[in-house]
Amino acid sequence: MTLQECLAKGELELKASPHPERARRDAEALLIHVLRRNRASMLAHRAEELQPDYIDRFNALLARRSAGEPMQYIFGEAEFYGLAFRVTPDVLIPRPETEHLVEKVIELTAPLPQPRIVDVGTGSGAIAIALAHCLPVAQITAIDISAAALAIAEENAERNKVGIRFLCSDLLDAVVGESFDMVVANPPYIAASERNSLTIEVRDHEPALALFAGEDGLSIYRRLVPAACAALAPGGYVALEIGYGQADAIQAFLDGSHFKNIEFTADLQGLPRVASARRS
Ligand SMILES: C[S@@+](CC[C@H](N)C(=O)[O-])C[C@H]1O[C@@H](n2cnc3c(N)ncnc32)[C@H](O)[C@@H]1O
């Protein structure tokens, strides 16, 4: 089978997969991954016969993609804030919209000489590592309840050459008695009832622990907001990524925990995506 025939077969198979619109692009990316060549070289040698073991490897990746597995898990790599992260099904694939949260934290903490920041629900470590990269003087703690996710986050910190303290904990339990200038979190915020409206890529491949937060999607915020208030030094900040339609509920939680200067930052679609507030 030639490279050209492999690509055509891959495109055809992926057209019947959960993401037909990306069939050609994904088939090319999978073949490039197997061949370890660049796109120009692959296309220039379209007529070349492929060795049987390469065909087997390509077919194996095609089967994974056809089942809806995200490309980032297939490659084991994702990009966030210009940095490279290892990702496995134990961690959420970091999303571009979460970069708004990182930007808000930088804006709020950059004036502090040595901000103490805690990232709750660190997953791959994306937020904590991006912050450590941009704020080298910050003291950063990253928490997750999943030991498997923390192992990936630690690997990513090492890979990106940043120093972070990692703790396995339910929300802020492991740091009770400590004081922070910033609590940042992109917690699970999808309602269990929305499960069937998610794409197959998300629903069947990303960790449920990273996605769902009770019947209304608010169960983590409900506990996290008062815990963040208790963990913050006076004048410290909380910054939270929020889901579609959650702004009013988050405003009420923040008001109820005596936060002030409550603000919502919109994403590129104009939807409130980041809630931030200051502890009285
Ligand atoms: C939406 S993911 C965010 C991952 C990463 N911060 C990002 O933005 O890409 C939420 C993370 O919170 C973690 N998590 C869920 N419940 C938790 C809890 N009670 N305490 C600490 N972490 C929790 C999950 O394991 C998951 O890694």
Side-chain angles (χ1 to χ4, degrees), residues 61-260:
L61 298 189
L62 264 186
R64 289 171 66 183
R65 184 62 189 144
S66 292
E69 185 169 346
M71 294 292 274
Q72 292 94 332
Y73 287 152
I74 293 176
F75 296 155
E77 284 270 331
E79 186 269 342
F80 180 77
Y81 222 81
L83 302 170
F85 289 83
R86 180 162 126 74
V87 289
T88 71
D90 286 321
V91 298
L92 187 95
I93 297 166
R95 306 293 203 269
E97 56 267 28
T98 301
E99 296 187 353
H100 294 297
L101 180 61
V102 172
E103 272 155 19
K104 192 70 197 176
V105 174
I106 293 172
E107 175 196 316
L108 294 172
T109 57
L112 304 175
Q114 197 173 44
R116 295 159 299 175
I117 301 174
V118 57
D119 171 26
V120 184
T122 198
S124 64
I127 295 169
I129 292 167
L131 289 172
H133 190 76
C134 295
L135 301 168
V137 290
Q139 291 176 1
I140 301 184
T141 301
I143 287 175
D144 207 288
I145 200 165
S146 158
L150 276 176
I152 301 292
E154 288 191 54
E155 198 181 317
N156 281 324
E158 210 168 295
R159 176 178 185 175
N160 284 289
K161 301 186 173 47
V162 293
I164 290 173
R165 174 177 64 148
F166 289 98
L167 298 172
C168 193
S169 167
D170 182 10
L171 302 184
L172 290 153
D173 285 2
V175 291
V176 167
E178 295 188 32
S179 189
F180 296 90
D181 302 300
M182 164 65 73
V183 174
V184 55
N186 173 22
Y189 55 70
I190 300 174
S193 56
E194 286 173 39
R195 190 176 184 280
N196 288 334
S197 62
L198 299 175
T199 64
I200 288 176
E201 279 187 318
V202 175
R203 189 192 67 206
D204 293 353
H205 296 278
E206 297 204 86
L209 191 56
L211 300 174
F212 301 108
E215 276 312 303
D216 61 0
L218 298 168
S219 65
I220 294 282
Y221 298 122
R222 210 171 264 121
R223 292 195 295 130
L224 179 58
V225 170
C229 186
L232 285 169
Y237 296 94
V238 64
L240 305 170
E241 180 166 316
I242 64 168
Y244 178 70
Q246 293 180 326
D248 289 348
I250 303 299
Q251 168 98 37
F253 294 154
L254 291 166
D255 278 335
S257 282
H258 310 294
F259 278 102
K260 59 181 185 179

